[in-house]
Amino acid sequence: MNESFFKLGTALRALAVVALIGVGAPAAHAQAAAAKPQVVVLATGGTIAGAGAAATNSASYQAAKVPVDKLIAGVPELADVAQVRGEQVFQIASESFTNEKLVQLGKRVSQLVRDPAVNGIVITHGTDTLEETAFFLNLVIRSDKPVVVVGSMRPGTAMSADGMLNLYNAVVVAADPASRGKGVLVAMSDEIHSGRDVAKRINIKTSAFGSQWGPLGMSVEGKTFWFRLPAKRHTVNSEFDIDSIEALPEVAIVYGYGNMTTELYDAVLRSGAKAVINAGTGNGSVPNYAVEKLKSVRAQGVQVIRSSRVADGFVIRNAEQPDDKYDWVVAHDLNPQKAKILAAVALTRGASSKDLQRIFWEY
């Protein structure tokens, strides 16, 4: 009898252990989920949300067709990295971004990074103006939390589509505590770039984005590897704050070329622009027949900023043109479209030409 009771007792204890494991499993899963960082994906459209008519359509397709919930569901491995939720902010191709949309997006990012439960933000974006949005956010988001902008060069319906891996890497970067304090980042083609430096350099390859000063790091098989840090002011060290910006002033770009039409500068004046970026040849050069026109533009209160149409390098002040004498500004190493963003943000505070030049050196 004693042996029977012993066997019964052993069986009951085993059942009790199984029951306890069964009861505890959901709690354990909940704790594991709670331990994962929370990442919010803000979707704005673009190729990463695009669809083509056939798998062979890698360059001809319709952008901004797939909603954010389907983007996230299409990469189930995201659940291994973070608690991910999505918001559809816009559903547009990025060439249709406007100043108003930049401000709207920036304010939503600012709201989210103030939430203690949110560890990082990912923004899906079309590649055409991705670099401008990333730089804008780098200037105006006052937080050290990771904000990662990501896109793709091929729609998800294409052979060798790059969107799934890019999105996965972006969430990996946003969820990684090591990404904090490095400014707004761009995750493309396994590389992690500074939102300040990165630019779209080719339009038909998945390796389209690069920085003349090199990437900050790489994301490989769910891990981040860092190699350098940005030296320019950004995010928490910026003097600009999206919460105090309601609108951006108009800034125009005039592209330099041989035998260029100087009447383009008259159109700038008629548009009411507060600044003009002269995307000059070489070292931001201004042809001799356009100098007086640009001096007249500056005399009418419009800031003149010399940038270059050349992809790499930087514009040297008082070389080619006497910038001090003409009260012009140089864009340093910023390309024309990034110079436009910085000028617009700076002019929300009514910066003088002297202050504007300081800002271009520091940012």
Side-chain angles (χ1 to χ4, degrees):
M1 182 179 292
N2 290 339
E3 185 178 349
S4 298
F5 273 116
F6 176 77
K7 290 181 178 178
L8 178 60
T10 302
L12 289 172
R13 283 194 297 273
L15 287 171
V17 169
V18 171
L20 285 172
I21 291 173
V23 170
H29 288 308
Q31 288 177 354
K36 290 179 182 175
Q38 184 179 133
V39 173
V40 180
V41 177
L42 299 179
T44 68
T47 299
I48 196 169
T56 53
N57 292 127
S58 63
S60 54
Y61 52 86
Q62 284 189 301
K65 304 301 287 186
V66 182
V68 66
D69 57 337
K70 290 189 177 181
L71 282 179
I72 294 171
V75 192
E77 294 81 1
L78 295 178
D80 299 329
V81 177
Q83 299 179 72
V84 180
R85 63 181 175 89
E87 293 183 18
Q88 194 75 50
V89 185
F90 311 118
Q91 187 66 299
I92 58 173
S94 70
E95 65 268 21
S96 298
F97 251 80
T98 61
N99 285 348
E100 291 76 18
K101 284 182 166 55
L102 277 178
V103 172
Q104 182 182 340
L105 177 62
K107 287 186 179 295
R108 183 57 185 142
V109 173
S110 183
Q111 290 170 348
L112 286 169
V113 294
R114 289 198 300 268
D115 184 346
V118 175
N119 300 99
I121 307 292
V122 168
I123 299 165
T124 62
H125 201 289
T127 58
D128 281 358
T129 60
L130 184 152
E131 64 196 82
E132 287 132 284
T133 296
F135 187 39
F136 174 72
L137 297 174
N138 195 58
L139 295 170
V140 300
I141 299 300
R142 301 295 296 274
S143 173
D144 69 346
K145 291 183 179 180
V147 176
V148 185
V149 189
V150 65
S152 73
M153 293 301 296
R154 295 173 179 166
T157 52
M159 295 179 187
S160 300
D162 54 328
M164 284 182 62
L165 183 56
N166 285 349
L167 179 57
Y168 176 77
N169 285 338
V171 172
V172 166
V173 174
D176 187 357
S179 303
R180 293 182 73 117
K182 294 179 172 65
V184 172
L185 305 167
V186 172
M188 292 287 291
S189 194
D190 300 331
E191 294 182 334
I192 308 168
H193 290 270
S194 166
R196 181 207 184 262
D197 298 338
V198 76
K200 186 176 182 180
R201 305 171 79 86
I202 190 169
N203 64 346
I204 53 172
K205 291 185 178 181
T206 55
S207 57
F209 281 77
S211 304
Q212 69 164 319
W213 312 121
L216 301 183
M218 292 192 70
S219 179
V220 180
E221 294 186 352
K223 296 180 180 179
T224 60
F225 299 87
W226 301 94
F227 301 104
R228 71 179 186 92
L229 298 174
K232 298 292 187 177
R233 291 177 66 178
H234 60 77
T235 55
V236 291
N237 295 316
S238 176
E239 65 199 84
F240 309 111
D241 187 345
I242 188 60
D243 293 337
S244 63
I245 296 174
E246 298 303 322
L248 293 173
E250 181 59 37
V251 176
I253 299 175
V254 173
Y255 194 85
Y257 56 93
N259 196 45
M260 66 182 296
T261 303
T262 60
E263 284 75 12
L264 294 172
Y265 298 110
D266 296 325
V268 170
L269 292 172
R270 290 194 298 270
S271 75
K274 301 300 182 185
V276 59
I277 310 299
N278 187 77
T281 55
N283 184 30
S285 302
V286 179
N288 56 8
Y289 52 82
V291 169
E292 291 304 316
K293 179 72 74 171
L294 265 182
K295 286 168 64 178
S296 173
V297 167
R298 180 69 191 103
Q300 296 180 63
V302 177
Q303 295 286 353
V304 173
I305 302 164
R306 290 198 302 117
S307 181
S308 176
R309 71 181 194 181
V310 179
D312 294 335
F314 51 89
V315 177
I316 302 171
R317 187 170 177 82
N318 293 317
E320 301 291 343
Q321 294 295 331
D323 298 297
D324 290 346
K325 179 180 178 181
Y326 296 157
D327 197 29
W328 293 351
V329 174
V330 298
H332 196 33
D333 65 327
L334 294 178
N335 63 27
Q337 56 268 32
K338 286 181 182 281
K340 176 183 185 294
I341 292 292
L342 182 54
V345 170
L347 290 172
T348 61
R349 301 176 55 175
S352 65
S353 57
K354 182 178 180 180
D355 200 36
L356 197 56
Q357 185 62 77
R358 172 192 64 79
I359 288 166
F360 271 92
W361 293 142
E362 293 181 5
Y363 293 85

